[in-house]
Structure formats: C-alpha cells, structure tokens
Amino acid sequence: MSLLQRLQKILAARGICSRRKAEEMITAGRVSVNGAVANLGDSADPETDEIRLDGDLLPTASDYVYILLHKPRGFVTTASDEKGRPNVIQLVDVPQRVYPVGRLDMDSEGLLLFTNDGDLLHRLISPKKEVPKVYYARHEGAATQEDVQAFADGLTLRDGTVCLPAKLEPLGPGESLITVCEGKYHQVRRMLASRGLPVTYLERRQEGALTLCNLPRG
Ligand code: URA
C-alpha cells in the first residue's frame, strides 16, 4: 500500500528543517523524487521513493547517527562562518550531513550533540519540551541565596528578556552549577551577568540524559 505524504512533511521529519524551510527548498528546486525535480505540493512515499536534497539521499532511520562532541573553546557553532573562524563541523568527520543540536558559544566548552535525526533534534531544542541543560561556570563574585532565589523565580535580563525559572547551585566562591530548560542567546552568561557575576569560564556538562563524562576535548 502506498503511503503518500507531502514532501515538506517528509523533509521536516528527516531533513533537519522546519516545514516552512522545506517548502523553500522545494520551491528552489533543491529536492528531487525518483530523479525528477519536485514542485511545491508534490507528495511521495517515504518508504519507497528516492528523495534527494541537493543530490544527497535523505537519511532513513537506519542511517541516523548521533555524535557527542566535547567542544573545545575557540570554535563557533554554525554551518558557515563569514569571519572564517574555526567551526565545530570541522571536528565531526562523518560521511552523513549532521547538524548541531542547539548552540554553544565560541568561548564555551562542553557537550554538543550532532545528528541527522530531525525528530530528535526538534524534540531536544524545543523550549516546550523543557530538556534541562546543566552548565558549570566560573565567575567573578560569589553567588548568594538572593541570586539562587532570583534564578528560581525567573530572571529578567538587562535587555528585558524574561527567562524561565532556573536552578543556581553555588559550589564555592566564584563557581556554580546552572540548570536551564531553554536556549536563549548566551543565556547563562547573560543570566549570571544580570546578577553581577560575570562569567570567566563556561562548560556544558549535561543535556537531558546525556553527560560529558570523561570525553576528551575535540
Ligand atoms: N549559555 C551561554 O551563555 N552560552 C552558551 O553557549 C550556552 C548557554
């Protein structure tokens, strides 16, 4: 039995992009089905049809890869960097086209997952799923009980951005563990800065059930 689905739905599930982005890719002529360039509105059978993006076959469940990288400092998390800085993709040597799950800023280190499994990627980065991420930070100043409470209440950053409630655990003067369930731009640095605790070192240690363990950098 043929199970036809809209191409943008198939791409969104397996091509690591939103349906809207998939529609743009189809309109741009980047998608083909069984050798013929697809048009917006076309459907295909994800089980039997040969679907390609930019000439590359879409991954199927058996082609999915999951890579845990200990990102070193000094690498940007982006597919292409206009400033030509070292890029995390250079550290991941696999034949599949994989994508980082969320971002880790250039000066931060730690756990960064890569995959070509679009469903998993979207589940992990969606703020609605609230996957907890744990960071170790060294910072200037010492975090107080008022800081702990302010994190628990939900901080408002200096630019007015409101954060979901988060956990701050002081480990000693100038070092803390921070648990957040969202991924706003430079979030942990900005949260600590908003409490007068500027970060000097930041490492992501855990994301959901995944931990950095003793994985060496790079
Ligand atoms: N918070 C930050 O400040 N930077 C990151 O890369 C991730 C979380």
Side-chain angles (χ1 to χ4, degrees):
M1 191 180 68
S2 159
L3 285 172
L4 291 184
Q5 289 179 11
R6 291 273 187 209
L7 269 180
Q8 56 268 41
K9 183 169 178 216
I10 302 172
L11 281 162
R14 290 196 280 160
I16 326 289
C17 61
S18 64
R19 283 197 197 188
R20 225 178 75 72
K21 184 87 194 148
E23 285 171 4
E24 285 170 24
M25 289 170 167
I26 298 165
T27 307
R30 295 172 59 190
V31 179
S32 68
V33 179
N34 301 328
V37 174
N39 296 304
L40 191 58
D42 286 356
S43 297
D45 183 335
E47 299 295 322
T48 57
D49 285 328
E50 187 188 273
I51 306 166
R52 289 178 185 265
L53 169 64
D54 296 334
D56 295 331
L57 267 182
L58 288 196
T60 60
S62 57
D63 298 327
Y64 286 157
V65 289
Y66 307 89
I67 296 157
L68 207 56
L69 173 74
H70 186 160
K71 174 193 164 320
R73 235 172 168 154
F75 285 78
V76 290
T77 311
T78 169
S80 63
D81 182 49
E82 69 288 351
K83 294 186 191 146
R85 293 171 295 187
N87 189 316
V88 287
I89 297 287
Q90 294 160 358
L91 300 171
V92 181
D93 187 16
V94 290
Q96 291 89 345
R97 185 199 290 225
V98 290
Y99 299 79
V101 178
R103 292 187 171 217
L104 203 46
D105 70 57
M106 180 157 166
D107 290 331
S108 296
E109 311 199 296
L111 189 156
L112 187 59
L113 180 68
F114 288 80
T115 187
N116 54 355
D117 176 347
D119 280 340
L120 178 80
L121 189 139
H122 289 113
R123 267 188 280 136
L124 284 174
I125 61 177
S126 163
K128 288 193 201 113
K129 307 285 181 196
E130 301 196 356
V131 175
K133 292 177 269 286
V134 182
Y135 295 84
Y136 166 80
R138 285 201 289 271
H139 48 79
E140 291 173 20
T144 62
Q145 273 315 302
E146 288 83 72
D147 296 321
V148 172
Q149 192 58 51
F151 270 65
D153 291 342
L155 285 173
T156 301
L157 303 181
R158 287 177 175 160
D159 66 355
T161 304
V162 177
C163 298
L164 290 174
K167 191 167 166 192
L168 173 66
E169 295 169 77
L171 298 176
E175 54 176 352
S176 300
L177 283 182
I178 300 96
T179 306
V180 296
C181 292
E182 42 181 0
K184 294 189 162 72
Y185 177 74
H186 285 192
Q187 182 162 356
V188 174
R189 289 174 188 276
R190 293 197 295 148
M191 287 169 101
L192 285 165
S194 78
R195 299 295 305 173
L197 304 165
V199 168
T200 54
Y201 174 81
L202 187 63
E203 177 183 281
R204 181 154 62 208
R205 291 198 169 164
Q206 193 173 338
E207 183 160 1
L210 302 172
T211 57
L212 201 51
C213 293
N214 296 322
L215 198 62
R217 286 187 185 83

